Short mmCIF file of all heavy atoms in Angstrom, two decimals:
data_model
loop_
_atom_site.label_atom_id
_atom_site.label_comp_id
_atom_site.label_asym_id
_atom_site.label_seq_id
_atom_site.Cartn_x
_atom_site.Cartn_y
_atom_site.Cartn_z
N GLU A 164 302.04 134.01 -67.99
CA GLU A 164 302.45 134.75 -66.82
C GLU A 164 303.80 134.23 -66.32
O GLU A 164 304.17 133.09 -66.60
CB GLU A 164 301.42 134.61 -65.69
CG GLU A 164 300.11 135.32 -65.95
CD GLU A 164 299.22 135.28 -64.73
OE1 GLU A 164 299.64 134.74 -63.69
OE2 GLU A 164 298.09 135.77 -64.82
N TYR A 165 304.49 135.09 -65.59
CA TYR A 165 305.71 134.65 -64.93
C TYR A 165 305.32 133.92 -63.64
O TYR A 165 304.54 134.45 -62.84
CB TYR A 165 306.58 135.86 -64.57
CG TYR A 165 307.12 136.60 -65.78
CD1 TYR A 165 306.37 137.60 -66.39
CD2 TYR A 165 308.37 136.30 -66.30
CE1 TYR A 165 306.86 138.29 -67.49
CE2 TYR A 165 308.87 136.98 -67.40
CZ TYR A 165 308.12 137.98 -67.99
OH TYR A 165 308.60 138.65 -69.09
N ASP A 166 305.83 132.70 -63.44
CA ASP A 166 305.51 132.02 -62.20
C ASP A 166 306.32 132.61 -61.05
O ASP A 166 307.21 133.44 -61.25
CB ASP A 166 305.74 130.51 -62.31
CG ASP A 166 307.18 130.13 -62.60
OD1 ASP A 166 308.11 130.85 -62.19
OD2 ASP A 166 307.40 129.09 -63.26
N GLU A 167 305.98 132.22 -59.82
CA GLU A 167 306.60 132.82 -58.64
C GLU A 167 308.11 132.63 -58.61
O GLU A 167 308.85 133.53 -58.20
CB GLU A 167 305.97 132.23 -57.36
CG GLU A 167 304.60 132.77 -57.01
CD GLU A 167 303.48 132.20 -57.90
OE1 GLU A 167 303.77 131.27 -58.69
OE2 GLU A 167 302.35 132.68 -57.80
N LEU A 170 309.67 135.02 -61.18
CA LEU A 170 309.53 136.39 -60.70
C LEU A 170 310.54 136.69 -59.59
O LEU A 170 311.15 137.77 -59.55
CB LEU A 170 308.11 136.63 -60.20
CG LEU A 170 307.73 138.07 -59.86
CD1 LEU A 170 307.95 138.99 -61.05
CD2 LEU A 170 306.28 138.15 -59.40
N HIS A 336 309.86 145.71 -62.29
CA HIS A 336 308.95 146.51 -61.46
C HIS A 336 307.53 146.51 -62.01
O HIS A 336 306.57 146.42 -61.25
CB HIS A 336 309.47 147.95 -61.31
CG HIS A 336 309.97 148.53 -62.60
ND1 HIS A 336 311.25 148.32 -63.05
CD2 HIS A 336 309.36 149.30 -63.52
CE1 HIS A 336 311.41 148.96 -64.21
NE2 HIS A 336 310.28 149.54 -64.51
N LEU A 337 307.39 146.58 -63.34
CA LEU A 337 306.05 146.55 -63.93
C LEU A 337 305.48 145.13 -63.90
O LEU A 337 304.28 144.94 -63.66
CB LEU A 337 306.08 147.07 -65.37
CG LEU A 337 304.73 147.10 -66.10
CD1 LEU A 337 303.69 147.90 -65.32
CD2 LEU A 337 304.90 147.66 -67.51
N ILE A 338 306.33 144.15 -64.14
CA ILE A 338 305.89 142.75 -64.08
C ILE A 338 305.38 142.42 -62.68
O ILE A 338 304.34 141.79 -62.50
CB ILE A 338 307.04 141.81 -64.49
CG1 ILE A 338 307.46 142.07 -65.92
CG2 ILE A 338 306.62 140.34 -64.30
CD1 ILE A 338 308.75 141.37 -66.33
N TYR A 339 306.15 142.85 -61.68
CA TYR A 339 305.80 142.60 -60.28
C TYR A 339 304.51 143.33 -59.90
O TYR A 339 303.62 142.76 -59.25
CB TYR A 339 306.97 143.05 -59.40
CG TYR A 339 306.77 142.87 -57.92
CD1 TYR A 339 306.59 141.61 -57.36
CD2 TYR A 339 306.79 143.96 -57.06
CE1 TYR A 339 306.42 141.44 -56.00
CE2 TYR A 339 306.63 143.81 -55.69
CZ TYR A 339 306.45 142.55 -55.17
OH TYR A 339 306.29 142.38 -53.82
N LEU A 340 304.39 144.58 -60.33
CA LEU A 340 303.17 145.35 -60.04
C LEU A 340 301.96 144.68 -60.67
O LEU A 340 300.91 144.54 -60.03
CB LEU A 340 303.32 146.78 -60.56
CG LEU A 340 302.11 147.70 -60.34
CD1 LEU A 340 301.84 147.89 -58.85
CD2 LEU A 340 302.32 149.04 -61.03
N ARG A 341 302.09 144.24 -61.92
CA ARG A 341 301.00 143.55 -62.60
C ARG A 341 300.59 142.29 -61.83
O ARG A 341 299.40 141.98 -61.70
CB ARG A 341 301.48 143.19 -64.01
CG ARG A 341 300.57 142.32 -64.85
CD ARG A 341 299.37 143.07 -65.39
NE ARG A 341 298.36 143.28 -64.36
CZ ARG A 341 297.33 144.08 -64.47
NH1 ARG A 341 297.17 144.80 -65.56
NH2 ARG A 341 296.45 144.20 -63.51
N LYS A 342 301.59 141.60 -61.28
CA LYS A 342 301.34 140.35 -60.54
C LYS A 342 300.59 140.60 -59.23
O LYS A 342 299.62 139.92 -58.93
CB LYS A 342 302.67 139.65 -60.27
CG LYS A 342 302.54 138.28 -59.62
CD LYS A 342 302.09 137.24 -60.61
CE LYS A 342 302.19 135.84 -60.02
NZ LYS A 342 301.78 134.80 -60.98
N ILE A 343 301.06 141.58 -58.46
CA ILE A 343 300.45 141.80 -57.14
C ILE A 343 299.08 142.48 -57.24
O ILE A 343 298.26 142.33 -56.34
CB ILE A 343 301.37 142.59 -56.19
CG1 ILE A 343 301.70 143.98 -56.75
CG2 ILE A 343 302.64 141.81 -55.91
CD1 ILE A 343 302.56 144.82 -55.82
N LEU A 344 298.84 143.20 -58.32
CA LEU A 344 297.53 143.82 -58.50
C LEU A 344 296.48 142.81 -58.94
O LEU A 344 295.31 142.93 -58.60
CB LEU A 344 297.61 144.94 -59.54
CG LEU A 344 298.29 146.24 -59.12
CD1 LEU A 344 298.41 147.17 -60.32
CD2 LEU A 344 297.54 146.91 -57.98
N GLY A 345 296.91 141.82 -59.70
CA GLY A 345 295.97 140.84 -60.23
C GLY A 345 295.43 141.26 -61.59
O GLY A 345 295.53 142.41 -62.00
N LYS A 346 294.85 140.30 -62.28
CA LYS A 346 294.39 140.54 -63.65
C LYS A 346 293.22 141.52 -63.74
O LYS A 346 293.00 142.15 -64.78
CB LYS A 346 293.96 139.21 -64.28
CG LYS A 346 295.08 138.22 -64.48
CD LYS A 346 294.55 136.95 -65.11
CE LYS A 346 295.65 135.92 -65.32
NZ LYS A 346 295.13 134.66 -65.92
N ILE A 350 295.75 148.43 -66.18
CA ILE A 350 296.85 149.38 -66.27
C ILE A 350 296.87 149.88 -67.71
O ILE A 350 297.05 149.11 -68.64
CB ILE A 350 298.21 148.75 -65.93
CG1 ILE A 350 298.19 148.17 -64.51
CG2 ILE A 350 299.32 149.79 -66.06
CD1 ILE A 350 299.50 147.48 -64.13
#
Side-chain angles (χ1 to χ4, degrees):
E164 290 187 2
Y165 294 87
D166 62 30
E167 283 75 8
L170 189 56
H336 44 275
L337 181 56
I338 298 169
Y339 180 62
L340 180 63
R341 173 75 283 168
K342 185 76 171 181
I343 61 177
L344 286 174
K346 294 180 180 179
I350 301 178

